[in-house]
Amino acid sequence: MKETMESVRRAPGRVRRALAALPETSAARQGLACLGTMAAGVLLAGCAAAGQPMPFAVCLVAAAGTPLRALAAMLGCLLGYPLFWGLQGGLEPAAAAVLVFAAVCIVGGAAMQAGDWLLPAMTAAMAGLVGLLFLVQARFTPGAVALYAVRLAAAAAGTRLLCRAAAVRSPGALLAALCLLLNGAAAVELAAGVTLGQVAAIAAAAAAAGTGSGLLLAAACGLAVDVAAVPPASLTALLCAGALAVRCLPFRLRAAQLVSFLTTVVAGVLFTAGVMPELVPAAALGCCLAAAIPPAWFLDTGERAAAAAARQLETAAAVFQELGNVLESEARVPPSDTAVIFDRASDRVCGSCVLWSQCWQQRSTETYHALCAAARPMLERGAAVREDFPRSFTDKCCRLDAFLSAVNRELDGLACRRQCDHRLREGRTVLRRQYAFLRDYLLQTAGRTAGQEPAAPARYRPELGIAMAGREGHRLSGDRGACFRTPAGLYCLLLCDGMGSGPEAAEESAAAIRTVAGLIRAGVEPRAALETLNGAYILRGDGGFSTVDLLTVSLATGEGILYKWGAAPSYLLHGGRIERIGTADPPPGLGVGETHKAAEYRLSLGEESLLVLLSDGAGGEDAGRRISALAGESPKALAAALVAEAPEAGEDDRTALALCLRPCSIRG
């Protein structure tokens, strides 16, 4: 069933592509265009306002574009007006259609080059000329004069709209053309009072529900049908109510949207005491048709661009997923067999020995057991010595020293191969995780809507104190810090301590700050941002790294998370009590897996708590005591005092960050 519905949805696109493949001048394409124009002329002949015929089919004759299509539109008028209004009622617009067709054939392409005014004026003039004869017959009664003026205005405006819809294809002109077709379709009765206009209007409104223009389209479709003949119940109100119900849904499941729209329309019919019961089957049929209409047809330019961008992001995410699968399904490297070591050593040393046949053929079993006995201690030590082999082997081997040297060379090669294999697997793991991170980020970005929920109002404001000092009194410090806010309303505090001191350490910590802060600002989760930094250090492989202290705290609740990776312990001062956070863990860049990741600590800063982040040079065993002694100081004074009183002053760069959240002032 799902495949069938998908095929139905894709059918219009396939038909459109098939038509586009036909040559512009081919007879098949021109014939199909003429048939479509004639059908539209028949349908527009049913257009009415308060039960009176309108000359919109005549406008199609003028806006057809070519004499052949104008002829098809005129034939549609000659068929449609008598069909919907009878011979007497359809005589006036049918005669106007013939005159307009004649004028189009005479004027030709000059009308299209004269600007936007000639065709509407010509159509209004022809319609006015024919209508004037019928107005004289009606003796210029007020009602006839008003109807005459309305038809002249409709002729000019309708021609202008249809010309613009055919040439420019602007959303407004296309919507107006759709409304004219729905108005004409309201004259086509299907069964039991259900009209084609009602079904088509409900189908269009239901298909567009949930898009940015859904409510506007519902109102336009409903008005187009209601204007044809004043109904006892407003279809416009029912369609708008259905569109609003769909917009209120917390999710965008297509089936749920159609069910919600149908339920709302049926409930509206029942609320009006069922004065128009035919709307119930019309709504059911329209919602069934809406299931086959792609909602993308009703997106505006911005929404189409956003949808196209989302599809591109999802495609890119699928590519990264496939790349990750390729790395995950890599061929497993078989473990190195120790027998290969002895085989290669024997080939190099024993091949030319006179005792080769005795050791490796006649007493092969004894030689095998001797080598097996030496394998375990040899591998554990990483080198082979004489004592690893039994006396029965060493006493009979006449090239033992050369054999041991060859075995040790093979052991060195084995260790090198194992180390390279380990680094290769580690690098593949890092790449696989980076591909997974990119996939998740692209999918998250694709699913993020423009109408994102606004961040909660801030109840706290950050008060931050920063103090820094270089090693041995130098002005340049290898520590770097940053504070920023994310679009989601989080306040972030970041401290990085580069390895060593001086310009190289400063550049290392600054690069870590740019990487982590940039990713978080772009919407990446802090944990994923830190794992990306770890992967970059591993792939770089030069031994350089930077420790990381990262705090993310909500200014609405005061709740936050402190991420620590290789950094010195931090301290939380609350109610006179000091709490030490974190231990001396390895920094990022040393490995992957569960044992190599940032530690997370949940904390609350909402009740005048003070958090202190320290680099290695500003810490020490008595850091907690010094912070407790300075508890009454402001964050700026506390940070300055901690750097000045650091016990290891002069031996390393020193940085202290002190953060306290203050309640926001409430203004009346």
Side-chain angles (χ1 to χ4, degrees), residues 448-455 487-488:
R448 189 180 296 128
T449 59
Q452 195 173 8
E453 290 293 331

Side-chain angles (χ1 to χ4, degrees), residues 45 53 58 77-98 130 134 151:
V58 180
C77 293
L78 297 180
L79 291 175
Y81 280 116
L83 178 64
F84 291 121
W85 307 102
L87 291 176
Q88 185 175 0
L91 181 59
E92 178 183 348
V98 174
V130 174
F134 289 87
R151 286 175 175 171

Side-chain angles (χ1 to χ4, degrees), residues 530-531 534 546-549 563-567 586-589 596-599:
L530 296 179
E531 289 180 357
N534 179 58
S546 173
T547 65
V548 178
D549 268 315
Y563 301 87
K564 298 185 67 65
W565 204 338
H596 298 278
K597 64 178 184 179

Side-chain angles (χ1 to χ4, degrees), residues 232-234 238 264-280:
S234 174
L238 296 178
T264 304
V265 173
V266 173
V269 174
L270 297 178
F271 180 77
T272 58
V275 294
M276 292 184 67
E278 66 273 10
L279 289 181
V280 175

Side-chain angles (χ1 to χ4, degrees), residues 353-430:
C353 181
V354 296
L355 300 178
W356 181 85
S357 60
Q358 296 182 17
C359 296
W360 297 98
Q361 289 183 351
Q362 299 175 12
R363 294 195 300 269
S364 60
T365 302
E366 182 180 349
T367 303
Y368 171 75
H369 288 297
L371 297 178
C372 289
R376 182 173 181 180
M378 175 187 70
L379 293 175
E380 290 178 352
R381 189 185 304 110
V385 296
R386 180 185 296 266
E387 288 74 14
D388 293 336
F389 297 88
R391 290 289 300 272
S392 59
F393 180 84
T394 58
D395 292 343
K396 296 178 182 179
C397 183
C398 61
R399 296 184 178 182
L400 183 60
D401 292 337
F403 182 74
L404 291 177
S405 298
V407 168
N408 285 330
R409 283 196 297 269
E410 294 297 330
L411 280 173
D412 292 340
L414 174 63
C416 182
R417 288 193 299 272
R418 286 182 173 178
Q419 183 179 10
C420 292
D421 181 61
H422 173 73
R423 296 294 295 178
L424 180 61
R425 289 198 303 270
E426 192 175 57
R428 285 171 174 165
T429 301
V430 170

Side-chain angles (χ1 to χ4, degrees), residues 44-54 56 85 183-184 224 227-229:
L44 289 176
C47 290
Q52 296 296 325
M54 292 288 111
F56 294 120
W85 307 102
N183 184 274
V227 166

